[in-house]
Amino acid sequence: MDILDKVTQAEYKYGFVSDIESDAAPMGLSEDIVRFISAKKNEPEFMLEYRLKAYNHWLTMEVPKWQNVNFPDIDYQKIIYYSAPKPKKVLNSLDEVDPELRATFEKLGISLDEQKRLSNVAVDAVLDSVSVATTFRSKLAELGIIFCSFSEAVKDHPDLVKKYLGTVVPYTDNFFAALNAAVFSDGSFCYIPQGVRCPMELSTYFRINAANTGQFERTLLIAEAGSYVSYLEGCTAPVRDENQLHAAVVELIAMDRAHIKYSTVQNWYPGDKNGKGGIYNFVTKRGLCAGVESKISWTQVETGSAITWKYPGCILKGDGSIGEFYSVALTNNCQQADTGTKMIHIGKNTKSTIISKGISAGRSNNSYRGLVKINKNAHNARNFSQCDSLLMGDQCGANTFPYLEVDNSTATVEHEATTSKIGEDQIFYCNQRGISTEDAIGLIVNGYCKEVFNQLPMEFAVEAQKLLAVSLEGSVG
Amino acid sequence: MLSIKNLRVSIEDKEILKGIELNIKAGEVHAIMGPNGSGKSTLASVLAGREEYTITSGEVDFDGINLLDLAPEERAREGLFLAFQYPVEIPGVSGATFLKTAVNEVRKHKGLEPLDAMEFLNVMKEKMQLVEIDKSLISRPVNEGFSGGEKKRNEIFQMAMLEPKLAILDETDSGLDIDALKIVANGVNKLKSKDNAVIVITHYQRLLDFIVPDYIHVLYNGRIVKSGTRELALELEEKGYDWIKAENKEVPAV
Ligand SMILES: Nc1ncnc2c1ncn2[C@@H]1O[C@H](COP(=O)(O)OP(=O)(O)O)[C@@H](O)[C@H]1O
């Protein structure tokens, strides 16, 4: 037997649950690893139980194969499921940052302070985002809003976590949701009390400990009756990450007349031009409109990752509840995206809107996959879907897979789909007015995405526009 | 301002322009007429820099610059404007956004500061009045769902905003009723000055009742076969293009 195998197996035999001092779990996944993670995080018993149930269920599941993407099988025993947040190397000045990354920062118009924060350059205490975050937090606390890391929530608000964890995305939901439930390292928790209108956009950026949430992130957001919150996930700056597999879970719960607006900009490393490297982003996001006339709006701008597999959906349980999905998914080079939404109508007079804008360039492949399901008792449910694809060049692909299940004859369902190409004529028209080809493409693409960008908070929308331009750079010769 | 010498252009091995000669001075209005398929639009496209054409010989001097060396956007920034025969729709991009980008590109090229939102709005208001265009058209996405007449009017509005040295109007009259035609012509006339020049490309002489040209050229089979003053247009109106065709039977190559 190979000496290396011997050593690793020996280690395994002894177990490491007792070895709580170690910084990282050994490679691979087992019941012991799950216990190790829970112990490391000092979790209460209910969390460990939850994780173990999820793990045991995961063992019975298989990797889904139905998506329209290709990737080599992932060896789940070759992943390290827990490692203590490693302090990133602190740089002395921005001069030490990778010039290519800096150039992208510049193009996105990211401020110097923000550039420093993102690339871990030491900053003055005054400018440190943590102090900004602290001020924000105390302001939120006055209103009774809880906004903290998932680990903190487990410690400080175990009742809330216990009550809602896994109620929207149960670990039985799918392979990656089960995996996440077993091993998730951290994430965000947010609770908006009854009748409170959250006065600012909640952004993970302002959450302490936002860094190092790792590859299995978990978000739980609860909006009590009559409350409102707008939540921003991600940032437009390019995120380089060593972890190839990301399997996050996001659960949203809206009570009577509550409104949750959840916006994402995802710009993870897509791999190089030839498709080497890059992140696999397999996310389960779902919102439950539990109360009457509640509303959940998903808005996403996806430009990163080598493979994206993501279907933010809404369960419209409360009568008169509303689900919305606005999405821009851009793929370039060798990226693959299979994304869309699920709208499950259960309550009466429920309404859903789906606006999906796919943009494919290079040799990429972009699929929309959406399910609209109208249950038996969902009288007068209404859905409108519009799925547009924009192709740049002739080596890319776009597909639309709309699924429709209607079990109530009073439902109104409308679906529109278009596929278009950025025309030479449009570009020439812009050129003739003095606009360069690159700017012309930016204009045309932004025009195409307008309905989605309009849903984003103003600042985010401006950043998203720039991001699209950067992501498409050089895609038209 | 513009001097074209022996311009020969082909597409897919078919020669379309067979040695064009044309000189235009500042302050002049030239009309180019001719039967369908004679190469009028090709000439406009080549001057604007459309790529699918192959220029096999010739020179084009635009105020001391070799025009053919420049990319289309550089020609535009130097002050060449083409009012398209079929203006293109750009969904989701408002006319104002589009024009602000364009105007500021041209200003940058001239070494001027970009206009801020307020300044831009004021310029727009002024030019909107000048060419009698409704505000609602400008706030809508560029050309999307515009009627034929609205598209043409919008082209003239863009011209007013960009203040080109040389404007080429490619069949701007086609598809316009008489009232729309008058409005468009009126706009062009108001924009005329001693420092700029206009090339009006048209099949019919109707437009020339309203935009009065200093010179008229007849393009036939890739060549300018006749040049003259306004009377030539009237003669064409009366006799049609047949006599031109008869006079210029294809001469077998020597
Ligand atoms: N893209 C093209 N491909 C092939 N032939 C073309 C193309 N554009 C123009 N032509 C040909 O060139 C000739 C001149 O066309 P055009 O310039 O449109 O004439 P006009 O504007 O005078 O009607 C016509 O015979 C037309 O068929």
Side-chain angles (χ1 to χ4, degrees), chain B residues 11-12 14 16 34-43 52-53 85 170-171 219:
Chain B
I11 188 158
E12 290 159 5
K14 178 182 164 200
I16 297 170
N36 283 331
S38 56
K40 302 184 298 288
S41 284
T42 302
L43 178 62
E52 52 261 44
Y53 300 95
Q85 183 176 2
D170 188 4
E171 307 226 4
L219 187 63

Side-chain angles (χ1 to χ4, degrees), chain B residues 192-238:
Chain B
K192 226 167 68 180
S193 82
K194 64 178 194 342
D195 300 318
N196 60 28
V198 183
I199 299 176
V200 183
I201 291 176
T202 180
H203 183 75
Y204 304 102
Q205 93 93 29
R206 191 175 68 143
L207 177 65
L208 306 181
D209 288 340
F210 303 103
I211 303 175
V212 181
D214 301 298
Y215 299 97
I216 290 175
H217 312 276
V218 179
L219 187 63
Y220 176 63
N221 201 8
R223 288 189 190 89
I224 290 180
V225 293
K226 237 184 180 49
S227 292
T229 50
R230 215 178 121 50
E231 284 67 46
L232 180 56
L234 298 172
E235 198 177 347
L236 285 170
E237 173 83 345
E238 204 175 303

Side-chain angles (χ1 to χ4, degrees), chain A residues 12-276:
Chain A
Y12 183 79
K13 208 167 73 194
Y14 289 112
F16 22 73
V17 175
S18 54
D19 185 13
I20 193 84
E21 296 309 311
S22 106
D23 264 353
M27 208 178 258
L29 186 51
S30 66
E31 193 170 314
D32 277 347
I33 294 280
V34 175
R35 288 178 185 280
F36 175 87
I37 294 169
S38 192
K40 259 295 192 197
K41 302 178 75 64
N42 263 322
E43 287 179 345
E45 190 59 28
F46 84 89
M47 281 301 299
L48 176 64
E49 267 170 37
Y50 182 77
R51 286 176 184 277
L52 286 174
K53 271 194 263 173
Y55 170 71
N56 284 314
H57 189 79
W58 179 74
L59 288 177
T60 68
M61 300 177 97
E62 297 210 6
V63 186
K65 292 276 186 219
W66 46 262
Q67 336 70 317
N68 191 31
V69 296
N70 294 307
F71 59 94
D73 284 340
I74 298 167
D75 186 344
Y76 294 91
Q77 296 305 337
K78 283 226 169 101
I79 292 173
I80 294 173
Y81 288 88
Y82 181 86
S83 63
K86 273 194 228 93
K88 278 198 239 158
K89 190 171 159 244
V90 176
L91 307 176
N92 294 315
S93 82
L94 276 174
D95 297 339
E96 293 172 37
V97 177
D98 175 8
E100 199 189 312
L101 192 61
R102 272 211 73 184
T104 312
F105 282 153
E106 296 295 335
K107 279 182 207 140
L108 289 169
I110 293 171
S111 74
L112 279 180
D113 290 337
E114 177 69 354
Q115 288 188 29
K116 286 179 183 167
R117 190 187 73 84
L118 289 163
S119 44
N120 218 34
V121 172
V123 284
D124 295 349
V126 194
L127 293 173
D128 191 347
S129 63
V130 172
S131 57
V132 180
T134 317
T135 354
F136 275 118
R137 272 234 297 203
S138 64
K139 224 173 167 182
L140 294 175
E142 278 170 33
L143 293 163
I145 295 172
I146 304 167
F147 184 39
C148 60
S149 73
F150 208 99
S151 315
E152 286 174 279
V154 169
K155 270 196 211 87
D156 302 340
H157 311 281
D159 295 347
L160 285 174
V161 173
K162 198 171 174 177
K163 186 166 170 197
Y164 293 109
L165 176 67
T167 55
V168 187
V169 180
Y171 58 77
T172 48
D173 192 80
N174 69 69
F175 185 85
F176 296 109
L179 182 62
N180 176 290
V183 302
F184 73 89
S185 37
D186 212 332
S188 305
F189 178 85
C190 178
Y191 178 84
I192 316 288
Q194 187 165 344
V196 170
R197 197 184 159 84
C198 184
M200 63 189 81
E201 316 276 353
L202 289 189
S203 147
T204 39
Y205 163 53
F206 287 120
R207 210 199 58 222
I208 299 179
N209 302 332
N212 296 312
T213 36
Q215 55 194 130
F216 301 103
E217 203 174 335
R218 186 123 198 153
T219 303
L220 178 57
L221 196 162
I222 302 135
E224 290 286 8
S227 67
Y228 167 83
V229 61
S230 166
Y231 187 95
L232 309 182
E233 177 200 273
C235 70
T236 51
V239 177
R240 302 244 167 136
D241 194 314
E242 305 293 311
N243 298 315
Q244 191 166 39
L245 172 66
H246 277 248
V249 170
V250 176
E251 297 179 279
L252 312 182
I253 301 159
M255 304 304 183
D256 289 355
R257 293 179 189 84
H259 180 186
I260 302 175
K261 208 171 145 67
Y262 192 103
S263 314
T264 310
V265 171
Q266 186 264 111
N267 185 23
W268 284 339
Y269 185 52
D272 67 12
K273 283 205 158 51
N274 300 313
K276 252 187 87 182

Side-chain angles (χ1 to χ4, degrees), chain A residues 425-426 429 432-434, chain B residues 50 77 82 89 92 155 158:
Chain A
D425 283 354
Q426 286 176 321
Y429 189 76
Q432 212 305 304
R433 300 300 185 245
Chain B
R50 253 216 136 92
R77 292 171 199 162
L82 173 63
E89 301 187 357
E155 292 291 287
Q158 293 186 15

Side-chain angles (χ1 to χ4, degrees), chain B residues 10-65:
Chain B
S10 19
I11 188 158
E12 290 159 5
D13 292 332
K14 178 182 164 200
E15 187 163 58
I16 297 170
L17 299 182
K18 305 170 179 173
I20 300 283
E21 306 276 339
L22 188 64
N23 286 296
I24 295 174
K25 294 200 200 67
E28 293 178 347
V29 176
H30 289 240
I32 296 179
M33 303 185 69
N36 283 331
S38 56
K40 302 184 298 288
S41 284
T42 302
L43 178 62
S45 300
V46 167
L47 291 176
R50 253 216 136 92
E51 263 167 21
E52 52 261 44
Y53 300 95
T54 315
I55 294 158
T56 50
S57 80
E59 279 170 37
V60 180
D61 179 281
F62 182 47
D63 256 356
I65 311 168

